[in-house]
Amino acid sequence: MGLDGEKERQSAEVIRSDTSVPAPVLPTVNPAIEKPESPSAAFHPSFYVVAWIVMSSSIILFNKWILDTAKFHYPIILTCWHLTFGTAMTQILSRTTNLLDGRKKVKMTGRIYLRAIVPIGLFFSLSLICGNLTYLYLSVAFIQMLKATMPVAVLITTWVFGVAKPDLKVFFNVSFIVIGVVIASFGEIQFVLTGFLYQLGGIVFEAVRLVMIQRLLSSDEYKMDPLVSFYYFAPVCAVMNFFVACVFELPYVSAQDFYNVGLFTLLLNAIVAFGLNVCLVFLIGKTSSLVLTLCGVLKDVLLVGASIAIWGTPVTGLQFFGYAIALGGMVYYKLGMEQIKGHISDLGRRWAEYGSKRPAQRKILVFVFIVVSLFLLLGGLAPSVGYDTTAYANEGKDYVSKLLGGKGTLTSGT
């Protein structure tokens, strides 16, 4: 009985202990070194959408300005500079932040690097070079219209590489993209065959790169987000671009060419180019495939408008019509009819709820939409949209000259 009593007394002590003081729990992470939640998690997804559209549009307009307006006609050197800067930044970020922690999950070996990364990097370099060369010949607006054919190029490349079986139904769906781009090309006033071929080559090289990634790095152990992918591809691409530049551009470039553009301008250009890769990582992690598709369409439309506003690019009504067909075909191909119907139904329901809660604001939005639609329609029916930037520039110079006491550029020679 003494032994039983002792057991009961010990059991009672344990029970009292459990009820009065919580049992200790072994932590899975040391609280002293536990990292706080990233501040980026507090941002609304729309922030990442806007950031990506701004960065993506900015680098395209920035490159066009440097290569064309600023007369720095060395696209391979500019591409090499972007990749060199990106290589340095990814190395720094991998040692100071957790943005590149995904690389630790990638089982990268020397054999895989030579067998997959190097050939993919080759096509990546070619696509970048051709893409930047195009800015010397074509307008930003027409380049964006041609880029709408990318899904078609990727689809055909998957058939050629045997990644997917040919499907006439799918090909019929994407044929609307081709028809739209062909119509837009016929309507292009400043058509240059050399630039068109460069852009076509850039699209083909990019399609091959994407399909090679799908085929050579498709297993889970090689899945990489855009920034980790850039971490591996940037060094080899920078080396390839350097050797190409040594043959075609470095013998002709001078220090004055860099000074004319400005060293700070080139640095800012590289920062924007690298920032685009960072924004893309957050955009993919915070949004859906629908948002990504619509963001791409919105960005292309904004770039067409920016090209008209900045460089006075003439865009005909036929081009507007063809580009609308191409964009509609691209959205249909990427999302599919069933998904589009679902999103339209959901949007209609939310629009009805918004109207019941804020009827006045809804009427204002409808009015603004009608006005903008009429403006675009009337603009599309006009022969072309654009203006002579040279005339505006000369007028500005005359005005400044008169303010300074001169006679203006038109009479400066007398």
Side-chain angles (χ1 to χ4, degrees), residues 38-60:
S38 175
S40 61
F43 291 116
H44 191 273
S46 60
F47 171 81
Y48 303 104
V49 171
V50 174
W52 178 80
I53 291 177
V54 169
M55 297 298 286
S56 181
S57 303
S58 298
I59 191 58
I60 291 174

Side-chain angles (χ1 to χ4, degrees), residues 348-358 362:
R349 178 180 56 81
R350 294 187 179 184
W351 178 249
E353 293 177 355
Y354 180 80
S356 62
K357 295 179 180 179
R358 299 178 176 86
R362 178 178 174 176

Side-chain angles (χ1 to χ4, degrees), residues 26 43 89-90 143 152 160 221 263 324 338-339 355 361 384 404:
L26 293 177
F43 291 116
M89 288 302 300
T90 51
I143 290 173
V152 182
V160 173
E221 57 186 352
L263 298 181
E338 294 300 324
Q339 191 173 355
Q361 293 183 11
S384 65
L404 297 176

Side-chain angles (χ1 to χ4, degrees), residues 14 107 156-158 181 191 221 236 253-254 258 309 352 366 388 394:
V14 171
K107 298 181 180 179
I156 296 176
T157 307
T158 57
V181 172
F191 182 88
E221 57 186 352
V236 64
V253 71
S254 64
F258 293 97
V366 171
D388 186 0
N394 289 334

Side-chain angles (χ1 to χ4, degrees), residues 176-187:
F176 288 99
I177 302 176
V178 179
I179 293 173
V181 172
V182 170
I183 294 175
S185 299
F186 276 114

Side-chain angles (χ1 to χ4, degrees), residues 221-235:
E221 57 186 352
Y222 300 123
K223 293 292 184 181
M224 294 180 275
D225 63 53
L227 195 57
V228 173
S229 176
F230 192 71
Y231 170 84
Y232 286 111
F233 287 116

Side-chain angles (χ1 to χ4, degrees), residues 14-309:
V14 171
I15 293 174
R16 281 197 306 272
S17 170
D18 291 340
T19 56
S20 60
V21 181
V25 179
L26 293 177
T28 55
V29 180
N30 187 351
I33 62 173
E34 186 175 3
K35 295 180 180 180
E37 186 179 1
S38 175
S40 61
F43 291 116
H44 191 273
S46 60
F47 171 81
Y48 303 104
V49 171
V50 174
W52 178 80
I53 291 177
V54 169
M55 297 298 286
S56 181
S57 303
S58 298
I59 191 58
I60 291 174
L61 298 174
F62 211 159
N63 287 346
K64 173 67 175 178
W65 183 85
I66 289 177
L67 295 171
D68 188 16
T69 307
K71 307 300 181 183
F72 187 79
H73 297 163
Y74 305 100
I76 302 176
I77 293 177
L78 184 65
T79 305
C80 185
W81 163 235
H82 288 173
L83 294 168
T84 303
F85 182 85
T87 299
M89 288 302 300
T90 51
Q91 293 296 325
I92 294 173
L93 290 178
S94 66
R95 290 165 171 78
T96 58
T97 70
N98 59 358
L99 289 176
L100 284 158
D101 285 352
R103 78 187 193 282
K104 299 176 182 178
K105 301 177 183 179
V106 180
K107 298 181 180 179
M108 187 61 63
T109 62
R111 181 174 176 271
I112 294 297
Y113 196 88
L114 292 176
R115 187 177 69 88
I117 300 298
V118 171
I120 294 174
L122 173 63
F123 285 97
F124 187 31
S125 297
L126 292 174
S127 68
L128 292 175
I129 291 173
C130 289
N132 280 338
L133 281 169
T134 308
Y135 292 121
L136 299 176
Y137 302 93
L138 302 179
S139 66
V140 171
F142 189 43
I143 290 173
Q144 295 308 123
M145 295 178 188
L146 294 177
K147 285 182 179 180
T149 58
M150 178 59 72
V152 182
V154 173
L155 178 66
I156 296 176
T157 307
T158 57
W159 294 348
V160 173
F161 278 72
V163 176
K165 294 182 180 180
D167 190 333
L168 293 179
K169 182 179 179 180
V170 176
F171 184 75
F172 176 77
N173 291 339
V174 300
S175 62
F176 288 99
I177 302 176
V178 179
I179 293 173
V181 172
V182 170
I183 294 175
S185 299
F186 276 114
E188 172 64 17
I189 297 175
Q190 300 174 345
F191 182 88
V192 180
L193 181 60
T194 302
F196 177 81
L197 294 177
Y198 275 131
Q199 183 59 52
L200 185 63
I203 291 173
V204 171
F205 291 137
E206 178 66 9
V208 173
R209 181 186 77 88
L210 295 174
V211 174
M212 289 182 68
I213 290 176
Q214 182 181 353
R215 184 164 184 173
L216 298 178
L217 302 174
S218 58
S219 59
D220 293 336
E221 57 186 352
Y222 300 123
K223 293 292 184 181
M224 294 180 275
D225 63 53
L227 195 57
V228 173
S229 176
F230 192 71
Y231 170 84
Y232 286 111
F233 287 116
V236 64
C237 291
V239 173
M240 292 178 181
N241 276 258
F242 175 74
F243 284 118
V244 175
C246 286
V247 177
F248 294 101
E249 292 184 353
L250 281 179
Y252 310 102
V253 71
S254 64
Q256 189 61 40
D257 292 316
F258 293 97
Y259 293 136
N260 289 339
V261 177
L263 298 181
F264 178 76
T265 302
L266 292 173
L267 176 62
L268 183 61
N269 180 244
I271 292 174
V272 175
F274 180 74
L276 175 60
N277 290 279
V278 178
C279 289
L280 186 58
V281 173
F282 289 104
L283 181 69
I284 293 174
K286 301 294 182 179
T287 58
S288 62
S289 59
L290 171 67
V291 175
L292 289 173
T293 301
L294 296 181
C295 283
V297 173
L298 178 60
K299 181 206 71 174
D300 292 340
V301 173
L302 291 176
L303 281 171
V304 172
S307 179
I308 296 172

